[in-house]
Amino acid sequence: MRARLDIAYDGTDFSGWAVQPERRTVAGSILAVLEQVLGAGVATGLTVAGRTDAGVHATGQVAHVDLPDPVWAATGPTLLRRLAGLLPGDVRVTALAEAPPEFDARFSATFRRYEYRVTDAPWGAEPLRRRDTLAWPRSLDLERLNAAAEGLHGEHDFAAFCKRKENATTVREVTRLEWHRVVADGVLVATVQADAFCQAMVRSLVGAMLVAGDGRRPPEWPASQLTRRERSSAVTVAPPHGLALVAVGYPEEPGALAARANATRRLRTPAS
């Protein structure tokens, strides 16, 4: 059977999601505990919706894993609580449930939504939020930030904002990109949603918008970079600790999961 895992983590002390030799990663930590509970090699095919980079957080990450039916029948009712007792404190599986066999955490997703937190308060980030909030040394104008965001909406080739992978497309559709200020604590939050993101894309978009928001670039400048067909050296990648994956969307209609997965594979998987 296929199990869906909803996952949250503080990415500060992880070298990203993906398993890496001799490095502490989110996937590595989860797999180690699954092996401890179920036995080596019992849980297979751990697949995630968004492979977050080192230092990036998540409150709404989604993954799937395949388990033998007898194992799920025996351990399913208690597995979530057992994981909570063994996982390190900076990663939690917040929900665990049987998923349709055609569910694919990565390819069935219709959108990923991220938030980026930044403060322009002269004293910097609040001590309890220093791990997930960037302290910006200049005042930021909300209207300028949203004007910069407006030009990045829609489907574009975001090559200027991506670390390109061979034979992979950098065309993405940004369906939501907006800033709001949390008046109580002076924090500005960018919400960025797209069908998918290429590596470093969200942090590059944020970096480009921040220099427009503090007045060093005109609001039209981030969108002007869309004419480039390679990574722009003028775009600064914002630090990872302000970024969190907050939601992943999936089709609600019965039978739509497989169709969505097939369509995404054709679009995102390089031709052989």
Side-chain angles (χ1 to χ4, degrees):
M1 58 78 62
R2 178 154 290 182
R4 168 175 167 161
L5 296 78
D6 290 70
I7 304 166
Y9 46 88
D10 176 345
T12 305
D13 298 323
F14 288 107
S15 296
W17 166 269
V19 174
Q20 301 179 56
E22 308 301 323
R23 290 185 178 271
R24 185 173 186 261
T25 68
V26 181
S29 297
I30 292 173
L31 285 171
V33 171
L34 285 172
E35 288 199 353
Q36 186 176 349
V37 173
L38 305 176
V42 174
T44 59
L46 180 63
T47 301
V48 73
R51 288 167 53 122
T52 50
D53 294 334
V56 176
H57 317 294
T59 59
Q61 181 70 277
V62 179
H64 76 250
V65 68
D66 294 328
L67 302 171
D69 289 335
V71 171
W72 176 253
T75 64
T78 62
L79 186 54
L80 183 63
R81 192 169 294 277
R82 294 173 73 181
L83 293 177
L86 294 170
L87 283 167
D90 50 1
V91 57
R92 297 285 93 182
V93 176
T94 59
L96 178 64
E98 184 171 356
E102 63 271 20
F103 173 78
D104 187 300
R106 178 187 177 192
F107 288 114
S108 295
T110 56
F111 69 82
R112 284 91 171 161
R113 184 184 305 143
Y114 286 84
E115 289 184 354
Y116 196 99
R117 289 174 52 91
V118 57
T119 179
D120 60 355
W123 60 84
E126 294 287 349
L128 292 180
R129 301 306 300 261
R130 69 190 187 281
R131 285 176 172 250
D132 73 346
T133 305
L134 173 67
W136 196 248
R138 297 174 176 85
S139 295
L140 292 164
D141 184 89
L142 183 61
E143 289 188 6
R144 290 180 65 90
L145 287 169
N146 278 316
E150 184 63 30
L152 299 168
H153 276 105
E155 185 175 84
H156 305 284
D157 186 343
F158 286 93
F161 300 92
C162 294
K163 292 182 179 178
R164 183 182 291 275
K165 294 183 178 180
E166 188 175 357
N167 298 322
T169 179
T170 50
V171 175
R172 299 291 189 271
E173 183 181 10
V174 173
T175 55
R176 183 178 174 186
L177 182 54
E178 60 194 18
W179 289 82
H180 72 274
R181 186 182 283 275
V182 183
V183 178
D185 57 11
V187 168
L188 294 118
V189 180
T191 300
V192 189
Q193 179 174 302
D195 55 344
F197 294 94
C198 46
Q199 187 176 7
M201 176 176 163
V202 179
R203 292 194 288 132
S204 297
L205 292 173
V206 170
M209 289 185 288
L210 286 174
V211 295
D214 68 17
R216 286 182 291 164
R217 297 277 193 178
E220 301 81 15
W221 181 78
S224 73
Q225 301 302 296
L226 293 172
T227 60
R228 296 175 175 265
R229 292 298 171 261
E230 59 184 17
R231 178 90 176 108
S232 173
S233 60
V235 173
T236 300
V237 180
H241 70 280
L243 184 63
L245 175 61
V246 299
V248 183
Y250 294 95
E252 296 181 0
E253 301 82 3
L257 288 167
R260 173 65 184 181
N262 290 334
T264 306
R265 284 191 185 93
R266 288 195 297 270
L267 180 64
R268 304 290 178 219
T269 305
S272 58

